[in-house]
Amino acid sequence: MVGPKAVGRMIVLTFDTDHVREADLARFLSEFPLPGRGTFFLDRRYPNIDFGEHEVGLHPVLADRDDWRATLSGLLAETPHAGHVIRPHSCTYSHMLGVMLAELGVRAISQTTPLFTRGLRPYRHPWGLWELPIYYMDSMDMTFPHNWPAVSHAPFDTDVIKASTNDDALYVYDFHPVHIMLNTPSFAHYQAVKPRVLAGESPTNLAAKGHGARWFYEELIKEMNRSRMTSTGCRAAIPTAGFGA
């Protein structure tokens, strides 16, 4: 990997807005304040929401490769200020897409998932995009036992949080507001309530009790406050110098 020699200690809070209605996203912003700035990856326009000092990026659904450019160009036209960073839905990616994104003026992407890996830093793809690798993703954390049953991992382990507040490295957290509001404890639970969310019921009214995505997120915020750490958005993590800086 080619990248900056050091990035300092940096926690980047990012949020993917899948399946969140505008009213619920506004409620999320009001009820779950960040200890600094964050980046919200938008899968659609939210014209009536004021994101304040938070950044917005793109979270497009790229279903048909023949339509990628049209989909991306349309989203960039609707939200031109979101064009500096992208996280495609389901982390869809290819070399061809990377070239296309660079041609469209996107500066960075956050889609690789070396989960729970310490010492991460930005690195550059050969065609010019900076990659901001993801340290933690709530949906992957809760499905880890299913995907890798041979690996001893308990979802929502607070040791993951403690590790990220001690190193001089880049720690990108990827949360879904729908999971935080639901306090989703498992993939099976989410599948059970998802039809009601898609039908328009507020996820806050369906929140589970005990350990879940909300509990973990709140533990992260508590630890950051104890450590006097301030979160940043993706823009602060994008190196400003040239190749290999």
Side-chain angles (χ1 to χ4, degrees):
M1 292 192 305
V2 178
K5 301 300 185 293
V7 296
R9 186 171 59 168
M10 183 178 294
I11 289 184
V12 178
L13 294 183
T14 67
F15 303 88
D16 299 347
T17 62
D18 313 41
H19 309 311
V20 178
R21 297 179 307 158
E22 190 167 67
D24 289 316
L25 186 56
R27 182 172 179 178
F28 175 83
L29 285 163
S30 174
E31 296 183 0
F32 296 93
L34 279 63
R37 294 183 178 180
T39 298
F40 286 80
F41 286 98
L42 309 183
D43 64 335
R44 75 198 81 168
R45 290 184 66 236
Y46 290 90
N48 298 313
I49 290 185
D50 179 7
F51 288 94
E53 295 186 351
H54 300 311
E55 303 165 358
V56 293
L58 300 180
H59 192 50
V61 176
L62 300 175
D64 187 338
R65 195 182 72 181
D66 292 339
D67 293 333
W68 281 1
R69 185 176 292 273
T71 298
L72 292 166
S73 297
L75 283 172
L76 286 167
E78 290 180 349
T79 53
H81 55 298
H84 69 283
V85 65
I86 189 171
R87 176 181 293 143
H89 186 271
S90 298
C91 295
T92 299
Y93 190 68
S94 73
H95 292 188
M96 292 177 62
L97 178 60
V99 172
M100 185 184 301
L101 292 170
E103 291 174 351
L104 291 171
V106 176
R107 293 180 57 203
I109 188 168
S110 181
Q111 56 86 30
T112 57
T113 50
L115 300 188
F116 319 127
T117 299
R118 300 175 67 169
L120 295 171
R121 61 180 184 173
Y123 62 91
R124 198 157 203 170
H125 292 283
W127 35 86
L129 290 178
W130 284 101
E131 178 71 57
L132 307 180
I134 300 168
Y135 171 70
Y136 178 87
M137 184 186 294
D138 55 6
S139 56
M140 284 189 167
D141 186 20
M142 68 181 69
T143 57
F144 211 93
H146 172 77
N147 294 326
W148 292 92
V151 177
S152 177
H153 172 75
F156 313 119
D157 184 350
T158 55
D159 284 346
V160 171
I161 295 172
K162 294 174 184 175
S164 68
T165 58
N166 291 320
D167 290 347
D168 282 345
L170 174 67
Y171 290 95
V172 177
Y173 279 84
D174 179 9
F175 291 100
H176 294 74
V178 67
H179 286 314
I180 293 177
M181 288 186 284
L182 286 169
N183 191 34
T184 308
S186 67
F187 182 69
H189 177 86
Y190 179 57
Q191 290 299 102
V193 301
K194 185 176 179 180
R196 296 170 64 181
V197 174
L198 296 180
E201 193 166 350
S202 175
T204 303
N205 299 336
L206 300 171
K209 298 183 183 298
H211 287 195
R214 175 189 293 185
W215 177 87
F216 182 85
Y217 177 75
E218 290 176 341
E219 288 298 306
L220 170 62
I221 302 306
K222 289 177 186 176
E223 183 62 29
M224 291 183 69
N225 288 333
R226 281 194 292 266
S227 302
R228 298 185 178 180
M229 293 190 67
T230 302
S231 63
T232 71
C234 289
R235 188 183 298 274
I238 303 172
T240 56
F243 189 78

